[in-house]
Structure formats: structure tokens, C-alpha cells
Amino acid sequence: MYIITRKGPLYDPGLCRCCGAIKKCRLLNVEYEWQGRKEIYSDLFVDCFGLLLSHLDGEAKERLICATCVSRLREASTFRQQVLQCEEILLRTKIQSEGDSDLDCVKIEAEIKTECLMTSNEDTNDHNDVIDDIKPENKKRKSVRQKLKKRRKEDDRDVREEDLYNSRRISERLKELVNVDLAEKSTQAHNGYKLDNSTPYANIVTIVENSYACPFETSFSDYFCVYCRHLFTDPNKLREHTLNHDPLTFKEVLSNSANNKKVQIDMFRIDCRLCPQVINDFETLRDHLNSSHQIKLNLVSNEFLKFRLTSGSIACTECGTSFSFFHALKKHMAEHFGTCICDVCGAHYFEERMLVLHQKTHQKNEECFTCKECGKNFKSKYSRYIHIARLHKKEAAYQCSKCDEVFFSYSLRYRHMIDVHGEERTFQCEQCDRAYDSRKSLREHNRRFHLKILKHQCELCDKRFYLPSRLKEHMASHTGERNFRCEYCGKSYPRLRGLKVHMQSHSSDKKFKCVMCEASFTQNVNLKNHIKRQHQSLELDDYND
């Protein structure tokens, strides 16, 4: 399938001609945008490896490259630039050191010559007799040695000059190659914004302190305040709550948090805090802060993740794709900005640990953790621990994060967090007025009543049901079975729903209560039988209808 995106065309699925895998692919000879720069993958092959790929003018399916190979090609290009820059630095230091050493040698030779001349002039009168006594053979030997030394010095100087000339030529060539990348980087430093990677989170701190952008953290599809870790399910309440905190403390929050996590910013409201200017997007905010308040932002691409949180479906800010839950949207955002890529299937992740967990699914001999009690296998130690605690040891294993209470199931802890700690967990249906305290209940409601996903059909009639239990109850209407019996009057019903409706008629009946133990009964006969068994000393006549 051919897809046109803002950054370039995509083919899904496509056959990568570099690794032979069938994945979502891009075109080799088409220009794409990545981190604010233009790149053509066929040109990168020529620059990095000197490979001129063939058949680039043919059909699109013959010139595809997958995301995994693109990431490897980018790493090779980055490594090439790194080598070139280091080589240039080495040559510069080499040239400077050799130039300084040549100057030092000239100075030393000049000093030696002057000293020799002075000493020779002073000692000529004292050593005339000695010089006269020197034999002619010794003079010839000295003259030959001096000539050889002069020739060696001249040869060394010629070699040095040639080395200097060659090194200068290489450094000039390296400058030409490096200047190409420097020119591209210099084009990014425009409109007064500077490129600065040495100050992490500088943009985020500036944006939060000077605008109403809302930083937040998540756990699956639950939102957390970054300042106090209070939980919200409604993004409107999260934004309203965050306004109560001082944005100047956000820098301290970042310094205490993990540096390997991507910071998430809600751009739903990004108006300026310093003036009443209404702003709709990040680019307008950046220009406004620079022009009106002289606040410059460092041009760092993909420093944080931008979202526009809404109560209903959430749309991706990059491609506009809508999702019902935030967890699905964040997984999709990894396709745009995730730097950890699986070599097997090309899946993207933000964190290395998530990629490691994903790669274990591709391993044939996947590590499993076996329960010694029943032999059941689990994918993690934690799952095995929960299994042993619940089924074999009958221990509570779900710890509350806000108190010391421990529960036997996740649902009990979930209810405890709502009732005791007051966590707000209400999920409103967009189609009707119903509201639920869990996403699972809301999802089941939508699938059952609005989407009408009825997978279970009766083989004897055309009726369909959402749950298999409802189908089983319905089958009793065809077979005539009455498996649901009332414990008070003995009436039986084919469906549980009919029995429940019948039980409501007993709830309004007169109740017979025991005076001694306050036990209540719906029929007087049952009360009398209770008295005979438990309270033989009492007379039955005291209990009347």
C-alpha cells in the first residue's frame, strides 16, 4: 500500500533490497526529512561506502529500504563524519606541533652558533699552539664528518617540508568535506536560534516556565501530575490541577527524574504566561518568545513528545491518526520518534529495556519460569510469584502504593484506591450518558451496545449474543431445561435473569425474625425449624405469623 506522509512516501508492506525483509519501507532515491535535515539514502550509500546502487529508475518495489537498514545507514554516516572530524583535529595538532618544533630547532641552532663563535674568538689565542699541532689527517676526517652531518640535516629538512606540504593538502581536503555538513548545520541556526545539545531539557524548562503547556507522566492510559504524582483520567482536570503548581519548580522535577525517559508535554493550551497573547502551536510560541520577550530557545529536534490531550479520542500531532486510548497513541508515536529499533521486525521503542523485552519474543528458545507446585510456565518471575501467592500459598500479593494494605487481586486494589484514597476514575461514554469506573467496563459497554459486536450465534435460530454465557442461557429455551431454582419457594427458571426478577418478589415479603439470635427467615416454617434446632427451651407459640 502506498502512503504519502509529511516526511515522504511509504510502502507497506514492501521488500527491502538491503536485507530482504518484508516491512514498511521507503524509497532509496527519494528525498526524506529527518530531524530537520534532508536525506537521500542512495546518496548516503555513495558517501559512506562508495556504492552506486543500480536499477534506481525502475519500479518503486525494486528500490525500497526498510527502517532498520535506514537506521544502520544513518549510524554509518554519523560514524564517517565523526572519523573525519577527529582526523582533522589530529592533523591540526600535528601541524602545530611540527611547526613549533621547527622554530625551536632554528632557535637552538642559532644559539649554539653564537656561543661557538664567541668561545672560538676567546680561545683562539690560548689554543694556537694546539691547533698548529693537529695533524692533517684528523682535519680531513673532521671535514668529511661535517659534510655528512650537513647532508643529513638537509635531507631531514626536505622530508619535513614534504610531510608538512602533504599534511596541509590533506587538511584542506578534509575541510572541504566537513564544510558540507557544517553548512547544513549552519542553515539550522537561523532567526536567532542556536543549536545547543549540551544543555538537556533546556527547551522544555523554558516552554513550561513561560507558557501554559502542561507536562505530564503516564502509566498505560492514566495521567499523572509531574509535581505531586496525583492520578487523573480526564486531561481537562489534569490541566486544571497543574495550574496550582509553580512552573519554576519543574526544573527541579526534571533533575530528580530518570534522564532516559522522553518528557511528555500537552500542547492543548500553549498561551504565553508573560503576556495575554493566544498561541496555538509550538513554532508560534518560539517566535513569540524570541521577538517579544527576547527568550531564545535552543534548536534541538525531538527533545520532547508533543500531545494534544482530549477527553475522547486522541489524535497524533504528526500524522493525525486517532486513537481511543493514550497507550495506543504513545505506542504509535514510537514509530515517529523511537530510536530503539528491532532488527527483526523494525518495531520502534523509546527505551532500550522495552526493546530488549520485545526481542525476547523473537527468540525460539524463550526463557520461561516454571511453577514447582503445578508445572505451569510463565514469561516472567513476577507472574510466577503472583501465581504462587494467589493459588498455592493463598497470600495477598497486590500492594497498595499509598498505604500498607495488601490485596488478593488487582480488582480489589483498584476498588481500594477509589474508595479509600479517593482516586478519580470515571470514564464517560461518548455515545450515551453511562459512566464507568474502569476502561475495561467502558470498552465492554461500547462493544456490546454501540458497536453491536455479537460474535456468539445460536445454531437453531438467528439470535446473536455478546457473551457465551448468554448464548448458553438462551439454548435452554430450545431444550426446555430449567436449571435456575428459587431456594425459598422452589420455582425454577430457564434463565438466570428470570430467577433474579423472581427473587425481587421475595425481598418484599414479611420476614420472620428470631428473638434470641436475630436470624431472619422468609417463611414461618423455616423459623420454627430453626427454633427446634437452636433454641429448644423457647415455646413455639411465641412466634406468630
Side-chain angles (χ1 to χ4, degrees):
M1 184 175 62
Y2 182 72
I3 305 172
I4 297 294
T5 63
R6 183 174 61 85
K7 297 183 179 181
L10 297 176
Y11 282 81
D12 186 17
L15 179 62
C16 176
R17 62 179 289 178
C18 299
C19 65
I22 298 177
K23 304 176 183 178
K24 184 186 293 185
C25 296
R26 302 182 178 187
L27 294 173
L28 280 164
N29 57 345
V30 175
E31 187 178 76
Y32 290 85
E33 181 183 353
W34 184 70
Q35 293 188 354
R37 293 186 297 177
K38 305 293 184 180
E39 59 182 9
I40 300 176
Y41 306 123
S42 58
D43 295 345
L44 291 178
F45 274 105
V46 175
D47 295 338
C48 296
F49 311 110
L51 295 177
L52 185 61
L53 301 179
S54 61
H55 299 87
L56 293 179
D57 297 331
E59 297 182 2
K61 62 182 181 180
E62 297 178 353
R63 45 193 174 95
L64 300 178
I65 181 172
C66 66
T68 304
C69 297
V70 168
S71 63
R72 291 179 177 179
L73 185 60
R74 286 172 182 159
E75 290 177 359
S77 178
T78 305
F79 179 68
R80 170 180 170 271
Q81 299 301 329
Q82 175 185 337
V83 173
L84 290 176
Q85 292 175 1
C86 293
E87 189 69 16
E88 182 188 11
I89 295 172
L90 176 63
L91 289 173
R92 284 179 180 175
T93 54
K94 189 73 174 177
I95 292 170
Q96 292 177 358
S97 62
E98 288 182 352
D100 295 339
S101 63
D102 291 338
L103 292 174
D104 295 337
C105 292
V106 172
K107 290 179 181 179
I108 292 170
E109 288 179 359
E111 291 176 357
I112 292 173
K113 286 182 180 179
T114 53
E115 289 179 358
C116 291
L117 289 173
M118 292 177 66
T119 53
S120 62
N121 292 329
E122 290 176 358
D123 298 336
T124 48
N125 297 326
D126 298 334
H127 300 282
N128 285 331
D129 297 335
V130 178
I131 293 173
D132 293 336
D133 294 336
I134 295 175
K135 296 181 180 180
E137 294 179 359
N138 294 335
K139 291 181 179 180
K140 289 180 181 180
R141 291 177 182 174
K142 287 184 178 181
S143 62
V144 171
R145 290 175 183 173
Q146 290 176 357
K147 288 180 180 180
L148 291 173
K149 287 182 180 180
K150 287 181 181 180
R151 287 180 182 178
R152 289 174 181 172
K153 287 181 180 180
E154 291 176 357
D155 293 340
D156 292 339
R157 287 178 182 176
D158 294 337
V159 172
R160 285 180 182 175
E161 291 177 357
E162 185 177 359
D163 291 340
L164 289 172
Y165 176 72
N166 292 332
S167 62
R168 286 168 184 167
R169 283 179 57 194
I170 295 172
S171 63
E172 291 175 359
R173 177 58 179 165
L174 290 173
K175 285 180 181 179
E176 293 177 359
L177 295 174
V178 174
N179 286 337
V180 176
D181 295 328
L182 294 176
E184 293 180 357
K185 292 180 180 179
S186 62
T187 56
Q188 296 179 358
H190 62 288
N191 296 333
Y193 305 116
K194 57 182 180 178
L195 183 66
D196 185 9
N197 293 326
S198 61
T199 55
Y201 303 136
N203 281 351
I204 308 172
V205 173
T206 305
I207 292 169
V208 172
E209 290 180 353
N210 299 282
S211 74
Y212 288 99
C214 177
F216 66 98
E217 294 180 358
T218 55
S219 175
F220 289 93
S221 294
D222 293 333
Y223 308 111
F224 291 90
C225 173
V226 296
Y227 302 99
C228 63
R229 294 292 299 173
H230 193 75
L231 183 143
F232 296 91
T233 56
D234 187 357
N236 296 320
K237 294 183 179 179
L238 170 67
R239 286 188 286 266
E240 183 180 354
H241 167 82
T242 307
L243 292 176
N244 299 324
H245 293 281
D246 184 7
L248 298 178
T249 61
F250 180 66
K251 188 174 183 180
E252 182 180 354
V253 173
L254 280 181
S255 61
N256 296 331
S257 63
N259 293 328
N260 57 347
K261 287 188 177 181
K262 279 278 188 180
V263 179
Q264 302 170 151
I265 302 293
D266 177 22
M267 313 294 282
F268 185 84
R269 183 189 177 190
I270 197 171
D271 302 336
C272 181
R273 283 181 181 266
L274 306 178
C275 65
Q277 180 68 31
V278 178
I279 299 172
N280 296 323
D281 52 57
F282 171 69
E283 287 73 17
T284 306
L285 173 66
R286 183 180 62 186
D287 297 336
H288 170 74
L289 291 177
N290 183 42
S291 59
S292 302
H293 305 291
Q294 288 74 45
I295 298 176
K296 294 183 179 181
L297 296 177
N298 303 317
L299 190 62
V300 181
S301 60
N302 303 333
E303 188 181 8
F304 58 93
L305 298 178
K306 298 187 285 290
F307 298 93
R308 291 183 66 86
L309 302 181
T310 54
S311 299
S313 59
I314 312 172
C316 174
T317 57
E318 296 294 321
C319 62
T321 307
S322 297
F323 298 89
S324 301
F325 301 101
F326 180 84
H327 181 63
L329 172 60
K330 188 174 181 181
K331 186 176 180 180
H332 165 78
M333 290 291 283
E335 297 292 331
H336 293 292
F337 304 109
T339 56
C340 303
I341 305 174
C342 177
D343 296 335
V344 179
C345 64
H348 292 64
Y349 294 91
F350 290 113
E351 300 178 28
E352 187 71 24
R353 63 181 185 88
M354 299 304 296
L355 175 61
V356 172
L357 292 175
H358 166 77
Q359 288 175 339
K360 289 182 179 180
T361 60
H362 295 298
Q363 298 176 1
K364 294 183 179 179
N365 297 326
E366 185 179 353
E367 184 180 5
C368 61
F369 301 89
T370 305
C371 175
K372 296 181 180 179
E373 302 291 335
C374 61
K376 189 175 181 180
N377 295 326
F378 299 90
K379 294 183 178 180
S380 65
K381 291 182 179 179
Y382 180 76
S383 300
R384 184 180 62 181
Y385 163 73
I386 294 295
H387 163 76
I388 295 174
R390 292 182 61 185
L391 298 182
H392 300 300
K393 294 184 178 181
K394 305 297 181 181
E395 295 178 353
Y398 293 88
Q399 174 74 44
C400 176
S401 59
K402 295 185 177 181
C403 65
D404 296 332
E405 288 289 334
V406 185
F407 302 92
F408 286 96
S409 66
Y410 174 82
S411 59
L412 291 176
R413 183 179 65 179
Y414 188 89
R415 178 59 55 186
H416 165 79
M417 299 297 290
I418 297 174
D419 297 339
V420 178
H421 299 292
E423 286 192 353
E424 298 180 6
R425 292 179 180 266
T426 55
F427 302 93
Q428 183 71 38
C429 177
E430 298 179 357
Q431 308 295 330
C432 62
D433 297 334
R434 298 292 298 272
Y436 298 89
D437 57 3
S438 68
R439 286 189 177 88
K440 181 180 179 181
S441 301
L442 176 60
R443 183 169 58 250
E444 296 292 327
H445 165 76
N446 286 325
R447 290 167 63 90
R448 184 174 183 179
F449 295 101
H450 300 300
L451 299 178
K452 301 292 183 182
I453 301 177
L454 307 175
K455 295 182 179 181
H456 306 280
Q457 183 178 2
C458 178
E459 297 178 353
L460 302 177
C461 63
D462 296 333
K463 287 188 177 182
R464 291 175 174 270
F465 302 90
Y466 179 72
L467 298 174
S469 58
R470 295 297 186 188
L471 175 60
K472 186 177 180 180
E473 292 178 2
H474 165 76
M475 293 302 295
S477 63
H478 295 291
T479 60
E481 296 179 358
R482 293 176 172 267
N483 297 324
F484 301 95
R485 184 179 299 275
C486 176
E487 62 179 357
Y488 298 112
C489 63
K491 288 184 178 181
S492 60
Y493 296 88
R495 299 180 184 179
L496 178 61
R497 187 185 305 176
L499 176 61
K500 289 183 177 179
V501 173
H502 168 74
M503 294 298 293
Q504 294 177 359
S505 63
H506 287 293
S507 61
S508 60
D509 292 345
K510 182 180 178 181
K511 292 185 178 180
F512 301 91
K513 193 173 183 180
C514 177
V515 178
M516 298 297 296
C517 63
E518 296 185 355
S520 59
F521 301 91
T522 57
Q523 295 181 3
N524 191 25
V525 176
N526 297 333
L527 175 60
K528 290 180 179 180
N529 294 331
H530 166 74
I531 295 171
K532 289 180 181 179
R533 292 192 300 266
Q534 302 294 335
H535 314 291
Q536 294 289 339
S537 61
L538 294 179
E539 295 183 0
L540 299 179
D541 296 336
D542 295 337
Y543 297 89
N544 300 320
D545 295 342

